[in-house]
């Protein structure tokens, strides 16, 4: 029986196909930044103007019968000095998860993107860049871009529609209550849209809805957002934006306007102007100016994907 069992295991392992991929990007810029509480702006050469530089590994194994297993590990890198610079200040703070998937959808466990992040990414004209006015103002409807210790499910793609739901217990969320986040996205042809609702531990119920439409080289986007923090303070408002592409050049103007702001006690109109020029499919230069609350930030940088 042991010999037969060993033979069956070896046969199963021989039939399964697996792959591991190295991936990431590098991003560095020259500019001026002012964070909340700073006395003045700082002239910097810094890492991660558009996207935090990172390196990661993802793997997939075909288990047969349409079932697959995989993992995703990603860590941030500070190009100033090579230090770790990941979300949550942990080694694999960008992604650290294991998943099982099939024609019924995907179940993922561990640190991963929130459904509210996925919904925002469907229509944010800057691609949820670090300097995005929308994401910096409303923090992905208060959920943030990633959740630790999350149990999540994502449906298959139904003609452009996908839905995602994530759950974190109160023990792992650090609050008195469990956290949950539900998102619906649509990406098909010229239309991208997202809707999400979440409640993060002790926050109020948050929501966002938005969409974009591409008219050939021209795109417009609009959204309405509410985010709240653990003190149940609310920030609510809308976003409007437009983008234009000619060949390798792209330009985006995106604005937000508060209708209620208990986070800072003052309503703001925030905005970003972004210009990009593609040197290749993997490399482009960019320039951006971000007005965020009472700060002005700008920079010129280069990003390379690998």
């Amino acid at each position: 029986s042991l010999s037969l069992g060993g033979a069956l295991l070896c046969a199963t392992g021989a039939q399964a196909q697996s792959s591991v991929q190295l991936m990431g990007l590098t991003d560095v810029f020259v500019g001026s930044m002012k964070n909340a509480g700073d006395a003045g702006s700082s002239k910097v050469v810094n890492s991660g103007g558009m996207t935090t530089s990172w390196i990661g590994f993802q793997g997939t194994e075909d288990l047969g019968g349409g079932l697959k297993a995989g993992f995703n590990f990603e860590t941030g890198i500070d190009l100033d000095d090579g230090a770790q610079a990941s979300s949550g200040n942990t080694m694999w703070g960008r992604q650290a998860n294991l998943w099982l998937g099939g024609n019924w959808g995907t179940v993922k466990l561990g640190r991963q993107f929130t459904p509210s992040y996925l919904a925002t990414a469907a229509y944010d004209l800057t691609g949820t860049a670090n300097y995005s006015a929308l994401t910096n103002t409303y923090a992905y409807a208060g959920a943030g871009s990633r959740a630790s210790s999350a149990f999540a499910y994502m449906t298959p793609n139904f003609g452009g529609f996908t839905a995602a739901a994530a759950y974190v217990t109160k023990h792992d969320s650090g609050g008195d209550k469990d956290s949950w986040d539900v998102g619906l996205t649509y990406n098909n042809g010229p239309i991208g849209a997202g809707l999400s609702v979440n409640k993060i531990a002790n926050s109020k119920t948050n929501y966002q809805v938005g969409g974009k439409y591409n008219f050939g080289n021209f795109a417009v986007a609009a959204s309405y957002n509410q985010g709240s923090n653990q003190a149940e303070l609310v920030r609510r408002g809308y976003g409007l934006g437009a983008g234009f592409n000619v060949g390798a050049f792209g330009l985006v103007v995106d604005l937000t306007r508060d209708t209620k702001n208990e986070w800072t006690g003052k309503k703001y109109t925030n905005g970003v102007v972004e210009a990009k020029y593609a040197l290749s499919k993997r490399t482009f230069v960019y320039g951006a100016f971000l007005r965020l609350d009472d700060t002005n930030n700008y920079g010129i940088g280069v990003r390379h994907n690998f």
Side-chain angles (χ1 to χ4, degrees), residues 89-109:
N89 296 318
T90 56
M91 177 64 182
W92 302 105
R94 289 183 56 85
Q95 298 277 341
N97 55 69
L98 175 69
W99 57 266
L100 290 172
N103 54 16
W104 43 266
T106 302
V107 172
K108 186 179 293 186
L109 295 94

Side-chain angles (χ1 to χ4, degrees), residues 1-14:
S1 298
L2 290 174
S3 298
L4 178 59
L8 288 173
L9 287 172
C10 290
T12 302

